[in-house]
Amino acid sequence: MPASRLLSVLLLLQARGRMSARAIADELHVSVRTAYRDVARLQAAGVPVYAEPGRGGGYQLLDGYRTRLTGMSEGEARALFFAGLPGPAADLGIAAEVIAVRLKLLAALPAGLREEAARIAAVFHLDAPGWYRDPERTPHLPLLVEALLTGRAVDVRYRRWRAPQEVDRRLHPYGLVLKSGTWYLVAAGEKGPATYRVAHVLDAALTDELSDRPPGFDLGAYWASYLDDFRERRYTGTATIRLSPQGRRRLPDNVPPDVVRAVEATATAVGTEGWVEAVIPIESTDHARGELLRLGADVEALAPPELRRTMAETVEILARAYERR
């Protein structure tokens, strides 16, 4: 049973007074039976929750009982949302605040709930970065956090892919997103909202210009839309390939999920040895060559002609290299 939900029940009763099991269940999106069990766990942990029977009854805390969630600084209150994310909290420069707020939360819990929280913390760990790469250096991330929290614009020097590669921009930050261990800044520049990879910020300085987010701006909705647009722009064409059974099994470890899904959707049997033919999306000929070569002899590029040709040329160069002694 999540200790966080028990704490939510406790805070609900503290904030609202008497509540029925149905009202608790509706508020926390759980079943009524679960609400009954949660209240029983609180009572077993020593929290003075008592029930008023009859019409208009419900559960409430003994008069005067309060949880001891006191003494939090403004920074610790902000850090509360990162209490279970020590890695990202360290990136943001608030590791010390996260430790402090976690200790204060634990101290405010009854002994039984403290043990439950400690048990859960011991068996769950978040490691956000992906495999096969080191975490990116983001020395300017704390400054961007300050810009967001104080509502100020920031001047940055940014490295992008196209020429000129290094550009100066004044950005109005809207939010930060952590995806697969990589931090992204959503900010408005000269042409409206855009996404910037924080590791590519070469220099940054706060300005005195105020920076207000547009009313109703939804960071989660923006990011979902950005990902949809990225997928549409990412692939510029298609390729027809032939895969062995072994190549098909190895596919998820070597190509993006979109390519795997395309194979599953378009695969047709070829011959009697389990090979299939499929149509996959590709970013470019060079990129597709690099991905497909990972599968070695378990894949054959059939089309477009330029992909088949460059695959053959690369294989010939490799063969000549291995013939030399």
Side-chain angles (χ1 to χ4, degrees), residues 36-51 59-60:
Y36 281 128
R37 285 201 299 264
D38 287 351
V39 171
R41 287 290 296 275
L42 284 174
Q43 292 170 328
V47 178
V49 181
Y50 69 93
Y59 293 104
Q60 70 182 75

Side-chain angles (χ1 to χ4, degrees), residues 7-281:
L7 180 58
S8 296
V9 174
L10 179 56
L11 294 177
L12 273 175
L13 294 175
Q14 180 174 297
R16 309 244 181 118
R18 186 180 303 166
M19 293 184 71
S20 67
R22 166 59 66 185
I24 294 172
D26 290 345
E27 187 72 28
L28 299 180
H29 306 290
V30 297
S31 67
V32 174
R33 180 176 295 180
T34 297
Y36 281 128
R37 285 201 299 264
D38 287 351
V39 171
R41 287 290 296 275
L42 284 174
Q43 292 170 328
V47 178
V49 181
Y50 69 93
E52 283 283 348
R55 186 179 181 85
Y59 293 104
Q60 70 182 75
L61 294 170
L62 187 68
D63 287 345
Y65 180 85
R66 304 284 295 178
T67 58
R68 298 185 300 278
L69 296 178
T70 58
M72 282 191 192
S73 68
E74 182 180 358
E76 289 168 352
R78 292 171 178 169
L80 178 61
F81 297 98
F82 295 93
L85 307 172
D91 291 343
L92 294 168
I94 55 173
E97 288 85 350
V98 166
I99 293 172
V101 76
R102 183 174 180 273
L103 290 174
K104 289 181 179 180
L105 283 172
L106 288 174
L109 294 174
L113 295 188
R114 281 201 301 272
E115 294 169 2
E116 178 75 358
R119 185 183 70 83
I120 291 174
V123 296
F124 290 99
H125 176 71
L126 173 68
D127 184 10
W131 291 99
Y132 312 120
R133 60 173 180 156
D134 293 329
E136 293 186 332
R137 292 185 66 255
T138 54
H140 303 294
L141 184 58
L143 183 140
L144 298 177
V145 172
E146 185 177 354
L148 279 164
L149 296 180
T150 59
R152 294 156 68 187
V154 60
D155 288 333
V156 303
R157 186 158 186 79
Y158 187 76
R159 185 179 74 250
R160 60 182 185 177
W161 299 111
R162 63 180 183 276
Q165 285 195 314
E166 294 188 9
V167 294
D168 294 318
R169 294 283 187 269
R170 173 159 290 192
L171 302 179
H172 298 264
Y174 288 176
L176 284 161
V177 175
L178 177 64
K179 180 174 176 60
S180 301
T182 301
W183 285 100
Y184 295 90
L185 172 70
V186 177
E190 296 176 353
K191 299 181 180 179
T195 302
Y196 301 86
R197 192 164 179 161
V198 174
H200 292 179
V201 175
L202 305 177
D203 197 11
L206 285 172
T207 73
D208 293 328
E209 182 181 353
L210 295 181
S211 177
D212 293 329
R213 294 202 328 173
F217 178 80
D218 186 323
L219 182 60
Y222 169 88
W223 186 254
S225 175
Y226 170 78
L227 291 182
D228 290 340
D229 181 62
F230 174 77
R231 292 188 187 100
E232 290 180 3
R233 291 184 289 107
R234 178 178 184 179
Y235 298 111
T236 61
T238 61
T240 303
I241 61 172
R242 189 172 292 162
L243 278 169
S244 72
Q246 174 70 4
R248 196 170 180 181
R249 284 192 293 272
R250 293 173 55 204
L251 206 61
D253 296 326
N254 291 280
V255 299
D258 291 334
V259 176
V260 177
R261 286 192 289 267
V263 169
E264 296 304 316
T266 64
T268 57
V270 178
T272 59
E273 297 181 357
W275 284 67
V276 297
E277 202 169 287
V279 178
I280 62 171

